[in-house]
Amino acid sequence: LLAVRLGGIEDEPLFVAGLLHDMGRMAFVVQEPELGAAALFHALASGVPGHAAESELWGFDHADLGGEILAAWKFPAHLIRAVARHHHPGEAAEDRETALVHVADVIAHAMDHGGGQGFPVPPLSPTAFTAAGIAPGDLSSIVIQAQSQLDDITRIFLEES
């Protein structure tokens, strides 16, 4: 939705980056469920975002792990960057794709659709917000459109099952 709203940006790579951006969390929880649960409890108890709790406990976060997995699988560099840096978009200097994935992730968490399992909403990077090129006045209409599309998709899946 963000890419479509901005225009002139290829939306398919952003869609793929959005699908893959938390794959490191999924991989870690499957391989090390106790440590994944510990990060969740630490985040909830301390009020820090999940990636910060992961970094404190593990020395890296799910974004770092996801980036390493994509690199090992020889994914394109732009996807690796978007996944690995989505919580630290300033480290992917002037990378609009990473900035957009970061902003979309924060929006999804704020809407409670980020799959965050109760993690606090990660902070929005002002630098990424500026780099993404989204007008602040566009956020409410983007959120409304996202919720409407999610409602439609949910209805389709529930009717089919």
Side-chain angles (χ1 to χ4, degrees), residues 14 32 43 50 53 61-62 78-79 96 115 120 122 139 152 156:
L14 282 167
E32 299 288 343
D61 66 20
H62 67 275
H78 68 97
L79 285 175
R96 195 171 197 192
L139 282 177
D152 290 345
I156 289 167

Side-chain angles (χ1 to χ4, degrees), residues 29-46:
V29 169
V30 167
Q31 293 298 313
E32 299 288 343
E34 298 83 17
L35 292 177
L40 171 61
F41 293 133
H42 179 64
L44 294 173
S46 62

Side-chain angles (χ1 to χ4, degrees), residues 25 39-40 42-43 46-64 87-88 119-123:
R25 179 173 289 146
L40 171 61
H42 179 64
S46 62
V48 300
H51 72 278
E54 294 163 354
S55 291
E56 289 175 21
L57 294 177
W58 310 338
F60 60 93
D61 66 20
H62 67 275
D64 297 322
H87 287 299
H88 306 284
F119 285 129
V121 175

Side-chain angles (χ1 to χ4, degrees), residues 65-77:
L65 179 58
E68 290 296 323
I69 292 169
L70 291 184
W73 291 346
K74 306 217 182 311
F75 270 66

Side-chain angles (χ1 to χ4, degrees), residues 76-97:
H78 68 97
L79 285 175
I80 295 169
R81 219 176 13 259
V83 168
R85 304 287 24 127
H86 75 272
H87 287 299
H88 306 284
E91 296 176 17
E94 303 303 316
D95 181 1
R96 195 171 197 192
E97 186 170 346

Side-chain angles (χ1 to χ4, degrees), residues 2 89 92 95-104 127-132 134:
L2 296 174
D95 181 1
R96 195 171 197 192
E97 186 170 346
T98 300
L100 285 165
V101 171
H102 168 76
V103 171
T127 305
F129 189 77
T130 300
I134 304 158

